[in-house]
Amino acid sequence: MINQWKDGQSPEDKDIQATLLEGGALPRHIAIIMDGNGRWAMDRNLPRAAGHQQGIESVRDIVKASSQLGIGFLTVYAFSMENWKRPRVEVQILMSLLKTYLLQEIDELHANNVRLQAIGKLNALPKNVQTILNESIEKTAGNTGLTLTLALSYSGRWDIVRAVQMIALDIRRGTLSPEDITDEHFSEYLLTKNMPDPDLMIRTSGEMRLSNFLLWESAYSEMYITERLWPDFRREDLYSALRDYLNRERRFGKTSQQLRESDEKEQQQGSIRRIISSFSSR
Ligand code: FPP
């Protein structure tokens, strides 16, 4: 029997989620740098692999909670391009965990309307991982709920350089002029082109770095850094991050006063529209 996430929630959890949903606009896109697996294992005198294994439990819970909350996009940094430099055995373990995760989870993700995607230099992954990944992506391609993106063999700088190369090719072919390159147009060349920029970027284990994750896309992301190590991070921690996010003022370079004024202007325009439509419907 496949678990339907909307049925299996405790009443307390439903209450917390309802309060969050009433608290304002939740992020459309959450990005997570899952860090601290090695330290979690070391603290327990366990091999690093045990930390990664436990980290998968956190992935499961956070995917489920995000889907229940109606979050549109969740992107997790599962393997960076720099991670290839780790000891061969650790890389093998991570690849094998990824494969197991996909094999075990894909039916449940699919049954819960999750669309799986991946970004990164995917052809660097072992062939068997590529096959399972592609099958999983294809299977869930038509789903309309949460989009779960795995960043695998990913580097933000690499994606930006790739985009610049493709832009240069288009200019050489004569299909693009340099004057037409805007922020929006540049974004179209990135692997993240079909997603909104992350509104909230979470990093676990207290490190204050972006580590080459979504460098272009995180220009205006709200950062939330917690000391919690990734294998201990569960939905309660996500809720804390969301509460914190709901209390932030996102200014996008403007002043607080400008934001208040544009809010007031929007409210006034809304009232005028309502008055006009009430007249036209008489
Ligand atoms: C960073 O912790 C974590 C990783 C490099 C891998 C993250 C992978 C998982 C959580 C499991 C696989 C993921 C999916 C989506 C199936 P670290 O090893 O750098 O920890 P440390 O800084 O404490 O050493």
Side-chain angles (χ1 to χ4, degrees), residues 116-254:
L116 186 83
Q117 287 190 162
I119 50 170
K121 193 170 187 298
L122 304 178
N123 61 8
L125 298 170
K127 283 279 171 295
N128 59 1
V129 174
Q130 284 185 48
T131 307
I132 295 164
L133 186 64
N134 289 335
E135 284 169 7
S136 309
I137 291 172
E138 249 171 62
K139 181 170 182 150
T140 60
N143 290 343
T144 53
L146 174 73
T147 296
L148 168 64
T149 304
L150 306 180
L152 295 166
S153 189
Y154 174 85
S155 140
R157 282 189 175 181
W158 166 81
D159 198 21
I160 291 170
V161 170
R162 231 188 94 264
V164 172
Q165 287 171 344
M166 289 192 298
I167 287 173
L169 281 175
D170 281 351
I171 291 177
R172 194 159 75 186
R173 281 193 206 108
T175 53
L176 179 69
S177 332
E179 311 80 70
D180 295 335
I181 306 170
T182 58
D183 275 20
E184 289 76 24
H185 196 76
F186 187 84
S187 301
E188 286 296 307
Y189 285 83
L190 294 170
L191 288 171
T192 49
K193 61 176 179 287
N194 296 322
M195 306 181 213
D197 287 342
D199 304 292
L200 173 64
M201 165 89 75
I202 299 176
R203 180 163 189 152
T204 58
S205 92
E207 308 284 356
M208 311 254 186
R209 284 191 292 278
L210 275 180
S211 296
N212 218 345
F213 189 41
L214 301 176
L215 296 182
W216 172 272
E217 299 83 345
S218 62
Y220 279 102
S221 302
E222 294 295 327
M223 301 294 303
Y224 180 84
I225 293 166
T226 165
E227 291 295 322
R228 191 85 77 211
L229 303 177
W230 178 251
D232 287 328
F233 192 92
R234 286 297 186 285
R235 59 179 59 214
E236 295 73 26
D237 302 295
L238 178 70
Y239 299 156
S240 301
L242 291 173
R243 274 184 214 108
D244 196 274
Y245 172 86
L246 289 171
N247 284 321
R248 307 254 180 118
E249 180 186 60
R250 303 192 74 197
R251 291 200 295 272
F252 299 98
K254 295 184 180 171

